[in-house]
Amino acid sequence: MKFTVTKQALLDGLQRIQNIVSNRVTLPVLSNVLLETTETGIQLTATDMEASVRTETPATVERAGSTTIPARRLLSIIRELPAEEIQIETDTRNITSIKSGPSFFKVYGLSKDEYPAFPSLEEKRGFSMKQSELREGLRKTSYAISLDETRYVLNGILFSFRDGRLTLVATDGRRLALCDAELGEIKYPAGHERDFIVPTKAIAELQRLLVDDKEVRLHVGDNLVAFDLGTTVLATKLVDGTYPNYRQVIPGEAKERVTIEREILHHSVRRVSLLSSDKSGSVRLNFTKNNLDITSNTPEVGEAKESLAVAYKGRDLSIAFNPEFLIDPLKNLPDDTIALELIDEMSPGVIKINSAQRFLYVLMPMRVSV
Amino acid sequence: METSSREHGFSGGTPQAPHSTPSREQVVSENFSLLWNKLSEVIRQRVSGDSFERWFSRVSVLAVTPESVTLGVPNPIHQFFIESNYSNLLNSAVEEVCGGPLNLIFDCSGDSHSELKTEKEPTEEFVAPTQVPAARSMNTGTSIPTGMNPSYTFDSFIVGANNQFAHAASQAVAHAPARTYNPLFIYGGPGLGKTHLLQAIGHQILATKKNAKVVYLRSEQFTNEFIDAIQNNALVAFRKRYRQADILMIDDIQFFAGKGATQEEFFHTFGALHDGHKQIVLSSDRPPSEIANLEQRLVSRFEWGMTAEIQPPDMETRIAILQGKASRMHIEIEHWVMEFLADKIRSDIRRLEGALMRVAAYKSLSGQPLNLEALEHLLRDVLQEQARRAVTIDQIQKKVAEHFDIRLADMTSKRRQASIAFPRQIAMYLSREMTPSTLIEIGDAFGGKDHGTVIHACKLVKKRMEEDPKARHLVRLLDQQLQR
């Protein structure tokens, strides 16, 4: 294999795949990146056996071929190279020489034969959507993913297709985020319902990779899903199991509803939370007519209070939430205002947005005394 | 909503000291729906109507033991939300109604519409394996910790007189981890099944308690990871890995000998686990007190729980092992071949199985029937190795004299004071047991003694061994040292 590539192009490609290469690998070859020549350039592949990413980058190929090279080492070499143009050549023993201006490196690699095959995308049900649409959907839900590994079905986002609509759900047992996303031109066949859980690591990678307004094509298999972004494809195993019945969590009809400026609420809660204790930290929202007092206090530390003018018409109500959980949606929503729906002190609060797309955030209240 | 969802009653499978108040016993005997009614009365007062309806209306009590209450929930989502949001409430309700804290166990298997394909065992507070319906404990998908051989189970372990005790102790530990013998210390020579027993405990626990953190490793791995952790400044992660285990099993602990820092680290790991009522299982090729360069505080801790020895299998057990192995491998071996193997290879099961493999391979490759000559040729190196271990009367005399610090000449003298006669008798007994020599030959070798003297010596030593554990230990030790 022999090709010439610009430093920027190779760096871009490596950065797209490098997060998948884990530090603790079970097989030595998994710490390598697979380099293959294509007609228009080179293709880079990385995998941790759960998730795999494959991406293309333009290069001038002189001799076709393939090899695998330790990914982190290659990335740090390329990053430090002084010249813009890089010449890479691999011999039959998988020894790769990297030449750039005055620098010369020789790196030992492993044969392509040892590298796990990239999952095949053929014969899988597919549909498409806007990359930005999916990215927004993930941003609105991913913070609610459970990090508790014993609840492994919650360690990811549920992709649920019902009636030609895609719903994303994440929950950790204390809150639940749900949003709908619009599908693109290639629709999932109507009448086919399908639920699958995309694991947390793949979600994090997707959020990095989804950038532009182009389409992303999803190929869904029995136990894996592939996201085809054009030059880059991410394939991941699905979480084995079925998502619990999340509809159980969504409360019934709200008694009170108030619209609040998102950013103002976000910053107020953040300030007030500075004086809620670390352990059982809570902030209390006290609603009175046209006013919202946000308070917190920690014995022997101090207390904080901030007042907001809000259009609240209901009965006086006081409810406590975990400040971090309250801030998460406020931080990640793009809308100017949010609607907070409440039933009573002990029932969950629900955050919604005034938009055509459904978004729902259910937050369990904190009961200060048991 | 409480952030600290694990307080009393949720202390990770820790057996609660059973307060046997009369009210508790009453409750246990009462029927379950009555108990749930009482609990829900308490809960209803403290949550909103909507929350009660949503989370508690379809919950039921499935089982009650002195330590725990099993709650049936319709869907895993109930378990997740009740655990995260209402565990303190539920615990205090249980405490109020039952008169003391109990562990809470959730069971969401009852729902036929359950959305979970692979059901998850409730987390750490799972305590009583017997309460789980059999179908659930058969769940597949348990990940086997690295380094464990899936075929090392209790089912495949051949029990004989030599290992009966160790086997029983292991089963007791597997059925009630950290309740009976903690730590369990298994020792015995190489190839006698220590690793098999250790891993069988691990498999058994994983089969009944799916989310148990079972950590199995060889002592060398512990040392290496410890050194690694020091170098990479990752001691916290290292400690977390081992101190949060539910069952820690370390194989070949004798390699800790002389490694001071590792011993120190393990001492603390041991303390953390033992204090947290987590099971520890260790194996070694010799009893703790005989591991040289092992800190005294570790020795005493190793001897704290149960020390079980595995001895070399007897003839019948060896044949049973061969038969078991042959049937697992689906090969047929003539009985006389098994007897030959069992007779010639006495001390090491690994070697025994290796020889069996060799015979099986010979049969399937050459296609010729085996005869004694071919067999002897086939196994010549193994047999030679065994033969080399054959001991002579001279060696026995030397060893015994050295051990008791008496002169070699005393072995053949006629002196009859106990400090000399008893060692001599032991040497005669060992000669009788370990060499093919006749009584007369042994008598001659011990300074022209009568064959009756030798018989008397053997009887006497046997009797002393039956009555006095010290004598038994002594003879066994000499026996082992001679075979080494």
Side-chain angles (χ1 to χ4, degrees):
Chain A
M1 180 174 67
K2 189 174 181 188
F3 61 88
T4 312
V5 63
T6 64
K7 177 179 172 180
Q8 197 53 48
L10 188 52
L11 215 48
D12 286 348
L14 284 171
Q15 270 157 354
R16 284 198 290 271
I17 56 117
Q18 62 129 354
N19 270 33
I20 288 291
V21 183
S22 87
N23 290 324
R24 295 175 161 269
V25 292
T26 42
L27 287 171
V29 77
L30 294 184
S31 58
N32 287 11
V33 51
L34 171 62
L35 290 180
E36 292 166 296
T37 55
T38 64
E39 280 169 16
T40 54
I42 48 167
Q43 179 172 286
L44 302 110
T45 309
T47 180
D48 65 356
M49 300 302 267
E50 295 289 321
S52 313
V53 177
R54 186 172 73 193
T55 188
E56 274 173 37
T57 198
T60 318
V61 178
E62 278 178 55
R63 199 171 67 237
S66 63
T67 190
T68 76
I69 310 177
R72 301 222 185 279
R73 183 152 296 139
L74 181 64
L75 181 63
S76 43
I77 292 172
I78 302 301
R79 205 183 269 141
E80 298 295 326
L81 286 180
E84 266 315 304
E85 197 164 86
I86 304 167
Q87 212 179 70
I88 292 181
E89 186 173 1
T90 304
D91 68 9
T92 49
R93 288 170 302 148
N94 289 297
I95 299 172
T96 301
S97 344
I98 303 167
K99 270 181 258 177
S100 173
S103 322
F104 176 79
F105 291 86
K106 205 167 178 180
V107 183
Y108 292 84
L110 293 165
S111 155
K112 179 201 171 182
D113 306 335
E114 291 174 46
Y115 212 75
F118 196 82
S120 148
L121 306 186
E122 285 160 31
E123 293 179 32
K124 295 204 181 357
R125 269 217 183 92
F127 62 92
S128 71
M129 63 193 297
K130 279 235 163 67
Q131 290 197 21
S132 53
E133 181 76 17
L134 181 57
R135 193 185 59 222
E136 273 303 300
L138 297 181
R139 188 173 171 193
K140 286 178 191 170
T141 50
S142 59
Y143 50 80
I145 293 177
S146 171
L147 302 176
D148 181 352
E149 282 174 20
T150 60
R151 299 171 168 186
Y152 65 95
V153 285
L154 302 185
N155 297 156
I157 288 186
L158 170 71
F159 283 59
S160 173
F161 292 93
R162 293 272 185 278
D163 315 320
R165 200 168 61 165
L166 170 62
T167 306
L168 305 172
V169 183
T171 182
D172 64 1
R174 290 165 191 204
R175 61 213 173 127
L176 174 139
L178 173 154
C179 86
D180 280 349
E182 200 178 320
L183 292 178
E185 277 158 25
I186 308 169
K187 300 263 197 271
Y188 202 70
H192 280 92
E193 299 191 335
R194 180 71 208 269
D195 285 354
F196 57 85
I197 309 164
V198 180
T200 315
K201 185 171 179 186
I203 295 291
E205 273 314 289
L206 264 182
Q207 287 182 297
R208 265 167 28 86
L209 293 172
L210 292 164
V211 278
D212 48 28
D213 275 341
K214 291 208 194 93
E215 295 259 291
V216 48
R217 179 106 199 249
L218 279 77
H219 302 265
V220 190
D222 285 341
N223 53 10
L224 72 104
V225 58
F227 296 84
D228 185 347
L229 313 175
T231 52
T232 307
V233 181
L234 177 138
T236 178
K237 284 188 187 161
L238 297 174
V239 173
D240 187 16
T242 311
Y243 215 71
N245 177 16
Y246 64 87
R247 292 172 204 89
Q248 179 73 25
V249 178
I250 301 166
E253 206 178 323
K255 295 230 170 60
E256 315 294 347
R257 183 186 163 99
V258 56
T259 304
I260 310 175
E261 302 266 339
R262 179 183 61 85
E263 240 167 73
I264 292 176
L265 180 62
H266 175 193
H267 290 121
S268 298
V269 173
R270 224 171 60 191
R271 281 190 292 270
V272 170
S273 71
L274 296 174
L275 281 179
S276 74
S277 65
D278 299 334
K279 221 173 103 219
S280 66
S282 71
V283 293
R284 183 163 280 283
L285 308 186
N286 298 306
F287 286 97
T288 50
K289 193 169 165 32
N290 289 336
N291 187 60
L292 165 62
D293 280 349
I294 307 170
T295 63
S296 69
N297 80 79
T298 307
E300 289 166 41
V301 175
E303 54 184 75
K305 178 177 157 183
E306 196 153 313
S307 299
L308 298 181
V310 293
Y312 183 75
K313 304 274 181 286
R315 67 182 176 95
D316 290 2
L317 191 77
S318 168
I319 188 164
F321 292 117
N322 177 322
E324 265 178 55
F325 293 175
L326 184 55
I327 288 171
D328 275 337
L330 300 175
K331 197 164 58 184
N332 287 298
L333 288 168
D335 309 67
D336 289 344
T337 59
I338 57 111
L340 178 62
E341 295 184 350
L342 299 167
I343 298 171
D344 57 33
E345 287 79 3
M346 291 184 295
S347 298
V350 179
I351 292 176
K352 291 184 177 173
I353 53 175
N354 298 313
S355 148
Q357 296 286 49
R358 184 165 64 131
F359 170 82
L360 204 69
Y361 183 73
V362 181
L363 177 54
M364 298 296 279
M366 298 187 75
R367 276 161 306 120
V368 171
S369 60
V370 174
Chain B
M1 167 167 66
E2 298 83 13
T3 34
S4 56
S5 65
R6 305 220 173 283
E7 288 187 338
H8 49 207
F10 267 74
S11 40
T14 309
Q16 303 277 352
H19 313 257
S20 47
T21 55
S23 71
R24 165 77 65 91
E25 276 154 23
Q26 271 168 26
V27 168
V28 170
S29 63
E30 268 174 28
N31 91 30
F32 296 152
S33 67
L34 208 63
L35 173 60
W36 178 246
N37 287 344
K38 281 188 176 180
L39 284 173
S40 35
E41 264 170 46
V42 179
I43 296 166
R44 200 189 290 272
Q45 291 163 9
R46 301 183 193 173
V47 301
S48 68
D50 177 74
S51 306
F52 184 84
E53 200 53 37
R54 187 172 300 277
W55 297 116
F56 295 102
S57 60
R58 286 159 70 202
V59 176
S60 59
V61 173
L62 294 183
V64 180
T65 70
E67 280 110 30
S68 64
V69 180
T70 305
L71 297 175
V73 292
N75 187 283
I77 196 82
H78 287 78
Q79 183 196 335
F80 295 154
F81 271 76
I82 291 174
E83 263 182 1
S84 298
N85 301 294
Y86 302 108
S87 60
N88 277 14
L89 172 79
L90 205 51
N91 275 325
S92 69
V94 166
E95 212 172 322
E96 215 167 283
V97 173
C98 304
L102 295 176
N103 286 325
L104 292 177
I105 300 166
F106 290 91
D107 187 332
C108 40
S109 63
D111 180 24
S112 52
H113 305 293
S114 167
E115 295 204 9
L116 261 190
K117 259 189 274 168
T118 22
E119 255 151 17
K120 220 168 76 69
E121 219 69 280
T123 49
E124 302 97 303
E125 54 273 14
F126 183 79
V127 262
T130 48
Q131 286 181 3
V132 180
R136 268 161 61 81
S137 56
M138 297 296 287
N139 259 347
T140 50
T142 306
S143 63
I144 294 168
T146 45
M148 272 173 61
N149 182 337
S151 67
Y152 284 173
T153 61
F154 280 122
D155 289 341
S156 60
F157 191 81
I158 309 278
V159 187
N162 60 310
N163 55 23
Q164 195 184 7
F165 183 57
H167 176 258
S170 303
Q171 280 209 318
V173 164
H175 284 121
R179 298 276 182 80
T180 42
Y181 313 121
N182 199 11
L184 174 63
F185 191 100
I186 300 174
Y187 68 94
L192 295 183
K194 299 184 298 285
T195 302
H196 191 145
L197 271 184
L198 247 63
Q199 298 196 6
I201 294 174
H203 286 305
Q204 177 76 31
I205 288 171
L206 278 176
T208 47
K209 188 178 168 186
K210 211 177 152 203
N211 285 328
K213 270 196 205 135
V214 174
V215 177
Y216 167 85
L217 73 167
R218 279 167 288 113
S219 60
E220 182 207 58
Q221 250 171 299
F222 186 90
T223 309
N224 289 348
E225 284 183 24
F226 177 59
I227 294 168
D228 230 35
I230 293 175
Q231 282 172 346
N232 299 329
N233 201 11
L235 271 175
V236 176
F238 172 82
R239 289 185 179 137
K240 210 173 144 194
R241 176 164 148 73
Y242 292 109
R243 295 185 188 178
Q244 290 184 353
D246 293 320
I247 297 100
L248 177 66
M249 302 186 289
I250 300 194
D251 214 347
D252 288 328
I253 197 93
Q254 71 272 12
F255 291 120
F256 277 177
K259 296 185 177 115
T262 309
Q263 285 182 30
E264 164 119 21
E265 180 61 30
F266 183 71
F267 170 76
H268 294 299
T269 306
F270 187 100
L273 289 173
H274 198 273
D275 292 347
H277 298 278
K278 308 292 186 190
Q279 180 69 42
I280 301 159
V281 188
L282 306 166
S283 86
S284 158
D285 65 352
R286 63 201 89 163
S289 56
E290 284 174 29
I291 304 177
N293 295 322
L294 188 65
E295 281 185 49
Q296 199 50 43
R297 54 182 178 183
L298 275 181
V299 172
S300 83
R301 274 170 181 77
F302 289 173
E303 288 171 339
W304 192 352
M306 161 69 78
T307 311
E309 182 180 4
I310 304 186
Q311 287 171 6
D314 53 23
M315 183 73 182
E316 291 82 0
T317 313
R318 288 199 296 274
I319 291 180
I321 289 167
L322 286 174
Q323 281 169 344
K325 182 83 182 169
S327 77
R328 269 201 302 285
M329 285 165 42
H330 306 290
I331 49 177
E332 272 183 40
I333 303 282
E334 294 90 338
H335 196 254
W336 72 267
V337 178
M338 289 209 194
E339 269 187 5
F340 178 87
L341 293 176
D343 182 49
K344 296 290 178 194
I345 305 166
R346 287 158 179 268
S347 59
D348 186 337
I349 297 170
R350 218 174 282 141
R351 187 171 290 207
L352 192 63
E353 292 189 340
L356 180 75
M357 285 293 291
R358 208 186 292 189
V359 171
Y362 176 83
K363 279 184 71 169
S364 74
L365 292 177
S366 73
Q368 289 168 12
L370 266 177
N371 56 37
L372 187 60
E373 207 176 311
L375 190 59
E376 271 178 341
H377 182 71
L378 183 66
L379 299 174
R380 62 195 179 280
D381 54 333
V382 182
L383 298 178
Q384 270 168 11
E385 170 84 1
Q386 286 283 329
R388 222 179 302 136
R389 291 185 174 203
V391 277
T392 62
I393 298 180
D394 276 358
Q395 285 171 330
I396 293 172
Q397 289 178 338
K398 257 187 212 144
K399 186 86 214 170
V400 175
E402 186 187 315
H403 184 87
F404 287 95
D405 201 18
I406 55 179
R407 284 176 299 141
L408 186 56
D410 283 332
M411 280 289 150
T412 51
S413 75
K414 288 192 167 28
R415 296 173 66 186
R416 291 173 60 181
Q417 68 199 72
S419 63
I420 290 166
F422 185 55
R424 193 161 58 216
Q425 282 158 344
I426 289 179
M428 285 187 198
Y429 168 82
L430 288 173
S431 308
R432 179 79 183 134
E433 291 286 308
M434 300 179 76
T435 68
S437 313
T438 62
L439 290 169
I440 297 172
E441 281 166 353
I442 295 171
D444 282 349
F446 283 86
K449 302 277 189 308
D450 195 74
H451 80 276
T453 316
V454 181
I455 292 176
H456 170 72
C458 291
K459 271 191 192 157
L460 189 98
V461 172
K462 259 188 203 156
K463 191 161 164 259
R464 282 285 291 272
M465 278 169 67
E466 273 161 27
E467 287 165 357
D468 182 1
K470 259 190 209 155
R472 189 162 61 228
H473 185 71
L474 178 70
V475 173
R476 199 175 292 150
L477 180 75
L478 287 168
D479 185 306
Q480 276 173 3
Q481 286 180 345
L482 280 164
Q483 277 191 354
R484 217 169 271 157

